[in-house]
Coordinates of all heavy atoms in Angstrom, one line a residue:
G54 N 176.1 69.1 128.0 CA 174.7 68.7 127.8 C 174.4 67.9 126.6 O 175.4 67.5 125.9
I55 N 173.2 67.7 126.3 CA 172.8 66.8 125.2 C 173.4 67.3 123.9 O 174.0 66.6 123.1 CB 171.3 66.7 125.1 CG1 170.7 66.0 126.3 CG2 170.9 65.9 123.8 CD1 169.2 66.0 126.4
L56 N 173.2 68.6 123.6 CA 173.6 69.2 122.3 C 175.1 69.3 122.2 O 175.7 69.4 121.1 CB 173.0 70.6 122.1 CG 171.5 70.6 122.0 CD1 171.0 72.1 121.9 CD2 171.0 69.8 120.9
D57 N 175.8 69.2 123.3 CA 177.3 69.3 123.3 C 177.9 67.9 123.3 O 179.1 67.7 123.3 CB 177.8 70.0 124.5 CG 179.3 70.3 124.5 OD1 179.7 70.9 123.5 OD2 179.9 70.0 125.5
T58 N 177.1 66.8 123.2 CA 177.6 65.5 123.3 C 177.9 64.9 121.9 O 177.1 64.9 121.0 CB 176.5 64.5 124.0 OG1 176.3 65.0 125.3 CG2 177.0 63.1 124.0
T59 N 179.1 64.4 121.7 CA 179.6 63.8 120.5 C 178.8 62.5 120.2 O 178.7 61.7 121.2 CB 181.1 63.6 120.5 OG1 181.8 64.8 120.7 CG2 181.5 62.9 119.2
G60 N 178.3 62.3 119.0 CA 177.7 61.0 118.7 C 176.2 61.0 118.7 O 175.6 60.0 118.3
I61 N 175.5 62.1 119.1 CA 174.1 62.1 119.0 C 173.7 62.2 117.5 O 174.4 62.7 116.7 CB 173.4 63.2 119.8 CG1 173.7 64.6 119.3 CG2 173.8 63.1 121.3 CD1 172.9 65.7 119.9
G62 N 172.5 61.8 117.2 CA 172.0 61.9 115.8 C 171.8 63.3 115.4 O 171.6 64.2 116.3
S63 N 171.8 63.6 114.1 CA 171.7 64.9 113.6 C 170.8 65.0 112.4 O 171.0 64.1 111.5 CB 173.0 65.6 113.3 OG 172.9 66.9 112.8
V64 N 169.9 65.9 112.3 CA 169.1 66.2 111.1 C 169.3 67.6 110.7 O 169.0 68.5 111.5 CB 167.6 65.9 111.3 CG1 166.8 66.3 110.1 CG2 167.4 64.4 111.7
E84 N 166.3 58.8 113.4 CA 167.7 58.8 113.8 C 167.9 58.0 115.0 O 168.9 57.3 115.2 CB 168.2 60.3 114.0 CG 168.6 61.0 112.8 CD 169.8 60.4 112.1 OE1 170.8 60.2 112.8 OE2 169.7 60.1 110.9
V85 N 166.9 58.1 115.9 CA 167.0 57.3 117.2 C 166.5 55.8 116.9 O 167.1 54.9 117.4 CB 166.2 57.9 118.3 CG1 166.1 57.1 119.6 CG2 166.7 59.3 118.6
Q87 N 166.4 54.0 114.2 CA 167.2 53.1 113.4 C 168.4 52.6 114.1 O 169.0 51.6 113.7 CB 167.7 53.9 112.1 CG 168.7 55.0 112.3 CD 169.0 55.8 111.1 OE1 168.4 55.5 110.0 NE2 169.9 56.7 111.1
D88 N 168.8 53.3 115.2 CA 169.9 52.8 116.0 C 169.5 51.8 117.1 O 170.3 51.4 118.0 CB 170.7 53.9 116.6 CG 171.5 54.7 115.6 OD1 171.9 54.1 114.6 OD2 171.7 56.0 115.8
A90 N 167.9 52.6 119.7 CA 168.6 53.2 120.9 C 167.6 53.7 122.0 O 168.0 54.4 122.9 CB 169.4 54.5 120.4
F159 N 165.0 65.0 120.1 CA 164.2 63.9 120.3 C 165.1 62.8 120.9 O 166.2 62.6 120.5 CB 163.6 63.3 119.0 CG 162.8 62.1 119.3 CD1 161.5 62.1 119.8 CD2 163.3 60.8 118.9 CE1 160.7 61.0 120.0 CE2 162.6 59.7 119.2 CZ 161.3 59.7 119.7
V200 N 175.4 62.2 129.1 CA 174.6 61.3 128.3 C 175.1 59.9 128.3 O 176.2 59.7 127.8 CB 174.5 61.9 126.9 CG1 173.7 60.9 125.9 CG2 173.8 63.3 126.9
R201 N 174.4 59.0 128.8 CA 174.8 57.6 128.9 C 175.0 56.9 127.6 O 175.9 56.1 127.4 CB 173.8 56.9 129.8 CG 174.2 55.4 130.2 CD 173.4 54.9 131.3 NE 173.7 53.5 131.6 CZ 172.9 52.5 131.1 NH1 171.9 52.7 130.4 NH2 173.3 51.3 131.4
H202 N 174.1 57.2 126.7 CA 174.1 56.5 125.4 C 173.8 57.6 124.3 O 172.6 57.9 124.1 CB 173.0 55.4 125.4 CG 173.0 54.5 124.2 ND1 172.0 53.7 123.8 CD2 174.0 54.2 123.3 CE1 172.3 53.0 122.8 NE2 173.5 53.3 122.4
A203 N 174.8 58.0 123.6 CA 174.6 59.2 122.7 C 173.6 58.9 121.6 O 172.8 59.8 121.2 CB 176.0 59.5 122.0
Q204 N 173.5 57.6 121.2 CA 172.6 57.3 120.1 C 171.1 57.4 120.5 O 170.2 57.3 119.7 CB 172.9 55.9 119.5 CG 174.2 55.8 118.7 CD 175.4 55.7 119.6 OE1 175.3 55.6 120.8 NE2 176.6 55.8 119.0
S205 N 170.9 57.5 121.8 CA 169.5 57.7 122.3 C 168.9 59.1 122.1 O 167.8 59.3 122.4 CB 169.5 57.4 123.8 OG 169.8 56.0 124.1
F206 N 169.7 60.0 121.5 CA 169.3 61.3 121.2 C 169.6 61.7 119.8 O 170.6 61.3 119.2 CB 169.9 62.3 122.2 CG 169.5 62.2 123.6 CD1 170.3 61.4 124.5 CD2 168.4 62.8 124.1 CE1 169.9 61.2 125.8 CE2 168.0 62.6 125.4 CZ 168.7 61.9 126.2
A207 N 168.8 62.6 119.3 CA 169.0 63.2 118.0 C 168.5 64.6 118.0 O 167.6 65.0 118.8 CB 168.3 62.5 116.8
A208 N 169.1 65.5 117.2 CA 168.8 66.9 117.3 C 168.8 67.6 116.0 O 169.6 67.3 115.1 CB 169.7 67.7 118.3

Side-chain angles (χ1 to χ4, degrees):
I55 296 170
L56 296 178
D57 187 54
T58 299
T59 301
I61 68 169
S63 176
V64 174
E84 280 294 309
V85 174
Q87 71 184 3
D88 291 330
F159 176 78
V200 172
R201 183 168 176 261
H202 190 199
Q204 289 80 9
S205 293
F206 292 93

